[in-house]
Amino acid sequence: MKNSRASKLLILAFSLILLIGSALGIAISAEGENTYEIAKINISHGDRTYVLMAVDAPVADAASIEVKYSYGGSDYVAEYDGTSTVVIDEVTYPVFYTHGISPKDIGEDIIAEAHAKGAVDYTPVEYNVSIAEYLYNMLYAQGYVNATVDTDKNLKALYEAHIAYGAAAQQALWNDVEDTDRTLITERSYVYSAYATINESGARELLLPAKNGNVTLTKNADYPAEAIGWTVTTYNADGTTTVTEYKDTNTVSISGHSVITPLEQRIINFENASVGAVTGIDGLTSTAIDAASSVSIAIDPKNSDNKAIFIDANGSAPSYDGGNVSVKVTPIDGGVNANCYVVDFDILMINPVNSNNSPVQFWFYNSSGNKFTGVGLKYMYQSDNVSIVKTNTAGTDTAGTYDTGKTYGEWMNVRLEYYSVEGIVEMWYGDKYQGYTNAVITGADASSFGFIQFYTAGECGMDVYIDNIVCESIVKEYTPGNN
């Protein structure tokens, strides 16, 4: 027994080395003069596990600081041996450590807080220093699950073995002995986001009580202004990952260990493209069916600093020699759970040579090349205004003509959302919700999104510009009128 203290210090010294390379930052704020932030945490690996807590305070003040922690219904006081410190980013912190935590308890919440000794009038700043959360954080938030370097692979193996050992101890030393069972840590999902706090925890990470569940995210200051939702990367047991995207919601589904990042709107624009033919632009192809017509990248006639797709559909009677031109855009795949096909773009129709109603048309297609019936639209030049008429696959007009409220010759935004399960298309022109229409696919599966097509009919008598194209599949719950 006389060597137990020396053994503990050796464990501590080894862990401090790890702390420098892989410590976690904790985003919390102290409340009042009698509290301190726990700036970094780490654990030591041995026959028992110790949680190490670097307190954000001068080393000279360490003797006047008390770190309390609790788990399993009991309260404890962390130790400071008078010498243990760690230097991170040129700042020296005093390090306090718990008593040894039994393997059967590594899945329990360990709530710690630091305050001035003897203080009674303070609001504790608490942080969960759960050992299981730490191990999962190292694997998924810190990225050791993707290790390629041998030393990192060894740490990955250590973290995974520690988790497996803890689960086995939970079963053998608790569930098989006690009256109540604990959910094994291998049957719970870890969730992390650097851009939000999770549920009511106020923390960026959480070990869920089960493998599956929903979590609600509260954005923090690091969430990008241009983001439109969340991307959930789930790490599967077979070593693969599944990416699921959620737009216009802060509640996401969890089915395994997950890292959540912002979903940023992916817009195809042409700011860096060269004026001329449409070549080398990812997701974009053009077909000039009529030799007299063309598709190219051109200067925006309304803004000389902008570029857009130019469909040269102008001409003179009777041929209006720019018709029958096609531009196809391939969607960005939003993952296996995607149920909503989104198309959002800006369109400008200008320089009319006639007032006929055969302008640019727009179609959804599935991956087999079949059109979605009822999703086609015609953008009409009519009495100096822009109106839109729904069409069927044969190109004939169906019920419903919408006044976009836009004057001909102005840029206009159009957005459509096709929900594959419901067979519904929601439509917006500018900021104005226009309603919805039923849609089906002729002869093929509606669950696959192949491409969208902008198509100028043979008698199209105006130039068409298209810009800022969004074409993607996402996860979004269908709600009528839900923009």
Side-chain angles (χ1 to χ4, degrees):
M1 293 297 292
K2 66 180 181 180
N3 291 325
S4 63
R5 181 69 172 176
S7 297
K8 183 181 289 187
L9 290 177
L10 285 173
I11 292 172
L12 181 59
F14 172 67
S15 297
L16 290 179
I17 294 171
L18 291 181
L19 181 61
I20 294 172
S22 60
L24 309 182
I26 301 174
I28 58 176
S29 299
E31 297 185 17
E33 297 179 356
N34 291 321
T35 60
Y36 298 89
E37 294 183 6
I38 297 174
K40 306 285 179 180
I41 68 169
N42 205 340
I43 65 172
S44 68
H45 304 270
D47 57 344
R48 295 176 76 84
T49 305
Y50 298 83
V51 179
L52 312 177
M53 294 169 281
V55 175
D56 190 3
V59 174
D61 294 347
S64 63
I65 296 172
E66 183 176 65
V67 177
K68 286 186 175 181
Y69 63 99
S70 63
Y71 72 96
S74 298
D75 297 326
Y76 306 92
V77 176
E79 295 185 48
Y80 175 64
D81 63 8
T83 60
S84 297
T85 60
V86 64
V87 179
I88 304 171
D89 295 333
E90 301 182 354
V91 177
T92 302
Y93 299 91
V95 176
F96 293 72
Y97 53 96
T98 69
H99 72 275
I101 308 297
S102 169
K104 72 179 187 299
D105 294 326
I106 71 172
E108 300 304 291
D109 290 339
I110 302 175
I111 307 301
E113 56 91 6
H115 59 269
K117 283 184 178 178
V120 292
D121 185 18
Y122 69 95
T123 301
V125 180
E126 297 180 336
Y127 188 75
N128 187 350
V129 295
S130 158
I131 293 169
E133 276 194 9
Y134 172 85
L135 295 169
Y136 281 128
N137 182 287
M138 297 307 293
L139 284 169
Y140 300 105
Q142 307 305 315
Y144 281 88
V145 70
N146 301 314
T148 56
V149 179
D150 285 345
T151 52
D152 289 345
K153 288 180 179 178
N154 293 337
L155 286 172
K156 172 189 175 183
L158 173 63
Y159 300 140
E160 291 177 336
H162 199 155
I163 290 169
Y165 176 44
Q170 284 180 304
Q171 184 62 50
L173 303 180
W174 185 273
N175 290 356
D176 291 349
V177 175
E178 302 294 337
D179 293 333
T180 58
D181 283 352
R182 290 173 174 174
T183 302
L184 303 185
I185 55 176
T186 49
E187 297 301 318
R188 301 168 66 182
S189 286
Y190 169 81
V191 184
Y192 173 81
S193 179
Y195 302 90
T197 56
I198 302 170
N199 289 347
E200 301 299 323
S201 68
R204 295 176 298 180
E205 62 181 349
L206 191 65
L207 188 58
L208 300 184
K211 184 67 73 175
N212 300 310
N214 291 336
V215 299
T216 299
L217 305 164
T218 301
K219 302 170 188 174
N220 62 26
D222 293 325
Y223 185 83
E226 63 273 18
I228 59 170
W230 300 98
T231 298
V232 178
T233 301
T234 302
Y235 292 83
N236 304 315
D238 61 1
T240 63
T241 58
T242 299
V243 177
T244 307
E245 297 180 345
Y246 295 83
K247 185 184 176 191
D248 298 333
T249 181
N250 290 313
T251 299
V252 302
S253 296
I254 301 299
S255 59
H257 305 309
S258 302
V259 175
I260 304 175
T261 52
L263 170 62
E264 297 187 18
Q265 185 74 82
R266 293 162 298 194
I267 299 176
I268 301 175
N269 59 37
F270 311 98
E271 294 178 3
N272 299 318
S274 300
V275 172
V278 180
T279 57
I281 298 175
D282 290 343
L284 205 66
T285 59
S286 65
T287 304
I289 301 172
D290 187 322
S293 60
S294 66
V295 176
S296 63
I297 303 300
I299 300 297
D300 176 357
K302 309 296 288 188
N303 179 3
S304 60
D305 294 327
N306 186 48
K307 299 172 187 174
I309 295 175
F310 171 46
I311 303 177
D312 184 5
N314 203 341
S316 57
S319 65
Y320 312 111
D321 49 57
N324 297 328
V325 183
S326 174
V327 178
K328 298 178 181 179
V329 183
T330 303
I332 298 172
D333 189 3
V336 296
N337 297 319
N339 68 310
C340 178
Y341 305 156
V342 177
V343 179
D344 191 304
F345 58 92
D346 295 331
I347 185 169
L348 169 67
M349 295 174 287
I350 200 168
N351 300 330
V353 296
N354 71 324
S355 59
N356 67 65
N357 289 336
S358 295
V360 64
Q361 299 181 23
F362 167 82
W363 301 101
F364 277 93
Y365 285 79
N366 70 357
S367 57
S368 299
N370 295 303
K371 286 182 180 180
F372 289 49
T373 302
V375 190
L377 301 173
K378 286 184 177 181
Y379 301 92
M380 319 283 285
Y381 161 61
Q382 204 168 34
S383 302
D384 295 328
N385 291 322
V386 179
S387 62
I388 299 182
V389 177
K390 291 184 291 184
T391 67
N392 62 27
T393 52
T396 58
D397 298 345
T398 59
T401 299
Y402 301 101
D403 183 353
T404 65
K406 290 289 184 180
T407 301
Y408 183 84
E410 293 181 358
W411 280 101
M412 179 182 69
N413 177 257
V414 178
R415 180 178 179 86
L416 297 97
E417 296 179 355
Y418 171 72
Y419 294 86
S420 58
V421 175
E422 292 79 7
I424 292 292
V425 178
E426 298 268 333
M427 297 176 287
W428 292 262
Y429 308 139
D431 295 328
K432 185 178 180 182
Y433 174 61
Q434 299 289 342
Y436 67 91
T437 183
N438 296 319
V440 296
I441 292 183
T442 302
D445 181 11
S447 65
S448 60
F449 190 8
F451 59 90
I452 61 171
Q453 180 189 38
F454 298 96
Y455 172 73
T456 57
E459 294 183 348
C460 182
M462 56 190 165
D463 291 334
V464 178
Y465 293 81
I466 300 169
D467 199 4
N468 300 322
I469 304 170
V470 175
C471 183
E472 60 185 356
S473 53
I474 64 172
V475 175
K476 184 175 180 181
E477 180 181 358
Y478 171 66
T479 303
N482 179 20
N483 190 1

